[in-house]
Amino acid sequence: MNDHGRLDSLGRLEDLPQEYRDELTRRNLVPLWPGLRALLPPKVPGRATQPTHWPYSGLRPLLLQAGELTPIEKAERRVLVLANPGHGLENMKVSPAIYLGMQLLLPGETAPTHRHTPNAVRMVVEGKGAFTTVDGEKCPMERGDLILTPSGMWHEHAHDGTEPVIWLDVLDIPLVYYAEASYVIEGPSQEARPGHGERAYARGGVVPSADFERSTKPYPMMRYPWADARAALVSLAADRPDLDAVQVTYVNPETGKDVENNLGFHALMLRPGQDLRLPVRSPSCVFHVIEGRVDAVIGSSEFALDEADTCCAPGYTEVRLRNRQKAEPSFVFLADESPLHRKIGVYENRG
Ligand code: GTQ
C-alpha cells in the first residue's frame, strides 16, 4: 500500500483474455496498466546501474596483454571497456549515459584519426610521451590530465615515449547510441600544432589580450593539466578550512559552463583522514582515484579504492568517500550525468 492505497491494485496481463491480448499484439498495441508501475515506479526510479569497482591491479595486466595479443592496426583503439554487469556486459555501459574504457598505446603506435558524434574525454592514468591531437591541436598526456575530444572533432593518439601509456576514456556513447545518433568518420592524419588553451586560461582573472581575441570557439580549452587542477584544490582547501567538499568543476573558461554537452567532470580533494558524505543526487557518477587511497561506500556496497582504481554509483544513492591516508590528502576524479539531467529537467539534489 502506498499513501494513496492504489499501488498494488492494477490489473495484470494475465487478467485479460488471451484472444484480446493476441489481437493487441497483431496490431502492435500494448496495454499500459500491467506495466505502469515498472515505467513509473513510486518516488525512486528503477536503476540497472550497480555499484561496481574496477581495481587497476586487475585491469592493467590484462590491458598490457591485449598489447601483445592485438596489434594496434587490428584494434584501432586498444581498449578494455569497464562494463556494468547490471546493464549486461555486452552493452558496454557504466550507467545510462556513461561509457568507460581503459586505453593502451605502446611506444611508436598511432591510433588513427577519426571523429564521431559521441563526446569524449581522456583522464591520463600512467606513462609519458603520448599525445592526442584534437582538431590539429597537440595535447601532451600526463598523469591526471583531462583532455577533451568533443563531438565531431577530429582526433588521433600517438606516442613518442618509451613506456606504455594508459588512459581512461569517458564518453557519452550509451546516450548517443540510444538516440540512434552514434557514428564515426575516418580521416587523414592531422597537421599538429601546439595548443595554447591551458596556458592562456591558466589564471582565472587574467587572459592574454595583445594578440588574443576573446574566443568564440565552443571549446577554447582542450587540455586541463592535472598540475593546475591539483593546485586549485590545494589552495581551495587552505582558503576554506570550513569547507567539507573540496571540489572543482572542469568548465569552459569562456562561458563558465560544463566543458561538454552531456557529462560533467570534477576533481575532489579529500583532506587527510576525511570522511565525506556526498549529497544524494539524481545522476549516476564515476569515481577514479588520481592520488591516494579511498574507501567508497555506495549504498550497501563498500570498495577499498587504491590509486588508479575506478568505481561507479547509481543515482539516488548515498555515497561516502573516506580518505584512508591519515597524513596526506587523496584526489579523486569524478564524471557524472548532471549536465544531461539538468538539460532534460530531471536533476535533483535530495541532500
Ligand atoms: O579514443 O577515439 O574508448 O573512438 C571508444 C571509442 C576511445 C577514441 C574509446 C573511441 C575512442
Side-chain angles (χ1 to χ4, degrees), residues 303-316:
F303 305 129
L305 307 178
D306 290 326
E307 207 154 288
D309 280 13
T310 306
C311 73
C312 71
Y316 303 88

Side-chain angles (χ1 to χ4, degrees), residues 77 79 81 99-103 111 114 116 120 122 149 155 157 167 169 171 173 184:
R77 299 295 190 260
V79 174
V81 177
Y99 158 103
L100 286 182
M102 202 63 89
Q103 182 161 173
H114 68 193
H116 41 67
R122 333 274 160 200
T149 52
H155 57 280
H157 315 299
W167 64 83
D169 292 314
L171 289 92
I173 292 179
V184 70

Side-chain angles (χ1 to χ4, degrees), residues 66-79 103-113 157 186:
E68 293 161 17
L69 295 170
T70 308
I72 193 73
E73 297 75 26
K74 289 279 172 204
E76 213 164 283
R77 299 295 190 260
R78 194 190 289 109
V79 174
Q103 182 161 173
L104 168 69
L105 201 61
L106 295 171
E109 289 183 338
T110 302
T113 306
H157 315 299
E186 292 179 11

Side-chain angles (χ1 to χ4, degrees), residues 6-315:
R6 284 190 268 113
L7 271 188
D8 302 318
S9 57
L10 296 182
R12 300 166 305 164
L13 203 54
E14 304 80 68
D15 300 337
L16 299 168
Q18 188 61 49
E19 204 179 317
Y20 177 76
R21 288 162 61 184
D22 291 345
E23 184 58 15
L24 289 178
T25 303
R26 267 194 293 280
R27 294 181 178 278
N28 296 320
L29 295 168
V30 178
L32 172 62
W33 56 97
L36 183 58
R37 296 293 181 243
L39 211 53
L40 290 170
K43 294 182 180 149
V44 182
R47 282 143 300 153
T49 305
Q50 288 172 8
T52 307
H53 175 200
W54 295 271
Y56 192 58
S57 60
L59 198 166
R60 185 177 187 275
L62 292 169
L63 188 56
L64 292 173
Q65 211 179 335
E68 293 161 17
L69 295 170
T70 308
I72 193 73
E73 297 75 26
K74 289 279 172 204
E76 213 164 283
R77 299 295 190 260
R78 194 190 289 109
V79 174
L80 292 180
V81 177
L82 286 62
N84 193 313
H87 286 281
L89 297 182
E90 67 287 1
N91 290 314
M92 297 198 275
K93 55 172 100 169
V94 156
S95 71
I98 303 177
Y99 158 103
L100 286 182
M102 202 63 89
Q103 182 161 173
L104 168 69
L105 201 61
L106 295 171
E109 289 183 338
T110 302
T113 306
H114 68 193
R115 60 190 175 109
H116 41 67
T117 46
N119 296 273
V121 302
R122 333 274 160 200
M123 165 52 52
V124 184
V125 178
E126 70 166 76
K128 284 193 174 68
F131 52 90
T132 291
T133 303
V134 194
D135 227 20
E137 189 173 321
K138 188 170 174 174
C139 301
M141 304 179 93
E142 287 176 26
R143 174 66 183 143
D145 289 354
L146 185 77
I147 294 165
L148 312 187
T149 52
S151 177
M153 290 200 160
W154 294 113
H155 57 280
E156 67 192 271
H157 315 299
H159 189 357
D160 291 339
T162 54
E163 299 298 321
V165 166
I166 297 175
W167 64 83
L168 183 67
D169 292 314
V170 189
L171 289 92
D172 56 8
I173 292 179
L175 175 71
V176 178
Y177 185 83
Y178 172 76
E180 298 186 348
S182 181
Y183 69 93
V184 70
I185 296 176
E186 292 179 11
S189 185
Q190 307 168 76
E191 227 25 87
R193 54 186 152 67
H196 297 293
E198 72 262 30
R199 281 178 296 278
Y201 296 106
R203 305 270 168 204
V206 286
V207 292
S209 54
D211 62 348
F212 186 84
E213 299 278 314
R214 297 304 301 184
S215 178
T216 53
K217 290 199 268 184
Y219 302 98
M221 185 166 167
M222 289 300 181
R223 173 171 181 248
Y224 292 72
W226 173 234
D228 293 338
R230 190 186 194 283
L233 287 166
V234 169
S235 115
L236 177 61
D239 183 45
R240 299 281 304 280
D242 55 305
L243 195 63
D244 269 346
V246 181
Q247 186 174 327
V248 293
T249 296
Y250 293 91
V251 296
N252 178 319
E254 288 287 349
T255 65
K257 295 191 173 142
D258 296 294
V259 288
E260 285 187 348
N261 279 329
N262 298 313
L263 304 182
F265 306 99
H266 320 269
L268 179 78
M269 179 182 131
L270 293 166
R271 300 175 197 268
Q274 186 180 3
D275 181 353
L276 176 68
R277 190 185 81 84
L278 299 179
V280 173
R281 305 183 320 146
S282 55
S284 305
C285 193
V286 164
F287 306 94
H288 172 81
V289 180
I290 299 181
E291 279 181 49
R293 289 171 300 135
V294 174
D295 288 328
V297 184
I298 301 168
S300 55
S301 304
E302 183 158 351
F303 305 129
L305 307 178
D306 290 326
E307 207 154 288
D309 280 13
T310 306
C311 73
C312 71

